């Protein structure tokens, strides 16, 4: 009888610990809000807009790095291969909701416009990504693991963010209004992969 009572107390205590841990659980490295007034891309030093293209990662020592384009985050990871990454986030193209990098579905096409002309959009689910591809009649679906073998070349002329009605990044490091009619804000194709022409 005493053994049953001890077992019941143990099980109740274990249940309580699990319940408290589950209720109070927070992500160890949560996505941080974008502050357009101060946030600069850790690679190209451009303003990080609070838009669908913003990405970020946090290292296990708590340092947060923000990027204006998924390609910039990829370049940072290549340059800092020894860094221990605690979490990586991208934005859903439709809702701007932060989603874990490895859980997103990506759509790539060289003609898709993005801040640094990498042409990759992220979606929180594959169904929405497929709807986007079907509507655009172009684009290749990719997973986070497939991005590891992606070429990461920038597309000439795809730096304009006009498709979202936002201001576009200029190659000189400033901001300029998107002007599709005059061909403004086109990336200079230097042939270098991911080096932003620098």
């Amino acid at each position: 009888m005493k053994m049953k009572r001890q077992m019941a107390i143990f099980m109740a205590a274990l249940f309580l610990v699990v319940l408290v841990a589950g209720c109070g659980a927070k992500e160890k490295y949560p996505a941080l809000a974008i502050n357009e007034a101060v946030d600069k891309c850790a690679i190209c030093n451009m303003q990080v807009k609070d838009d669908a293209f913003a990405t970020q990662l946090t290292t296990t020592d708590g340092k947060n790095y923000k990027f204006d384009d998924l390609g910039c985050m990829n370049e940072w990871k290549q340059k800092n291969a020894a860094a221990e990454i605690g979490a990586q986030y991208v934005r859903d193209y439709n809702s701007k909701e932060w989603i874990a990098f490895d859980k997103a579905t990506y759509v790539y096409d060289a003609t898709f416009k993005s801040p640094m002309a990498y042409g990759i959009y992220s979606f929180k689910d594959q169904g929405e990504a497929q709807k986007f591809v079907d509507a655009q009649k172009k684009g290749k679906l990719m997973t986070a693991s497939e991005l590891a073998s992606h070429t990461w070349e920038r597309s000439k002329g795809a730096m304009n963010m006009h498709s979202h009605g936002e201001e576009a990044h200029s190659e000189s490091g400033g901001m300029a209004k998107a002007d599709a009619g005059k061909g403004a804000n086109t990336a200079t194709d230097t042939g270098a992969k991911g080096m932003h022409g620098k």
Side-chain angles (χ1 to χ4, degrees):
M1 190 72 153
K2 187 176 181 181
M3 187 68 137
K4 284 184 180 180
R5 185 170 182 228
Q6 286 177 338
M7 184 60 117
I9 291 171
F10 174 75
M11 293 304 286
L14 181 62
F15 176 76
L16 186 60
V17 168
V18 170
L19 182 65
V20 169
C23 290
K26 288 185 178 180
E27 291 186 47
K28 188 170 184 177
Y29 308 103
L32 303 179
I34 299 294
N35 181 345
E36 292 183 357
V38 298
D39 287 335
K40 302 285 182 201
C41 178
I43 287 294
C44 66
N45 205 34
M46 303 278 261
Q47 176 189 31
V48 177
K49 300 284 285 176
D50 190 13
D51 64 9
F53 300 106
T55 65
Q56 64 179 287
L57 63 80
T58 303
T59 57
T60 55
D61 63 0
K63 292 181 182 171
N64 181 266
Y65 299 90
K66 293 180 180 144
F67 308 93
D68 64 341
D69 192 302
L70 181 58
C72 290
M73 186 166 80
N74 178 70
E75 186 173 335
W76 187 94
K77 290 189 296 186
Q78 288 178 348
K79 288 180 175 181
N80 297 278
E84 293 185 31
I85 298 172
Q88 303 175 69
Y89 295 97
V90 295
R91 285 271 184 72
D92 178 70
Y93 183 77
N94 294 321
S95 70
K96 296 192 329 181
E97 173 187 342
W98 288 112
I99 47 180
F101 170 79
D102 60 343
K103 294 195 181 340
T105 299
Y106 300 90
V107 177
Y108 166 74
D109 189 86
T111 64
F112 289 165
K113 300 198 182 302
S114 70
M116 295 308 294
Y118 287 101
I120 300 173
Y121 298 172
S122 49
F123 295 84
K124 70 178 172 182
D125 69 50
Q126 187 174 355
E128 288 299 312
Q130 186 62 56
K131 283 182 193 175
F132 180 82
V133 168
D134 294 345
Q136 299 297 313
K137 298 185 179 6
K138 61 184 173 182
K140 174 185 175 185
L141 291 179
M142 301 174 77
T143 63
S145 60
E146 289 170 329
L147 287 177
S149 61
H150 182 63
T151 62
W152 294 100
E153 292 178 11
R154 292 172 57 208
S155 300
K156 186 174 183 179
M159 193 181 258
N160 178 337
M161 291 177 52
H162 187 262
S163 62
H164 258 305
E166 304 277 347
E167 290 182 330
H169 291 283
S170 71
E171 188 68 4
S172 64
M175 296 297 292
K177 288 282 186 191
D179 185 356
K182 295 182 182 174
N185 303 319
T186 55
T188 303
D189 186 7
T190 62
K193 292 182 183 179
M195 293 305 295
H196 303 305
K198 295 180 182 176

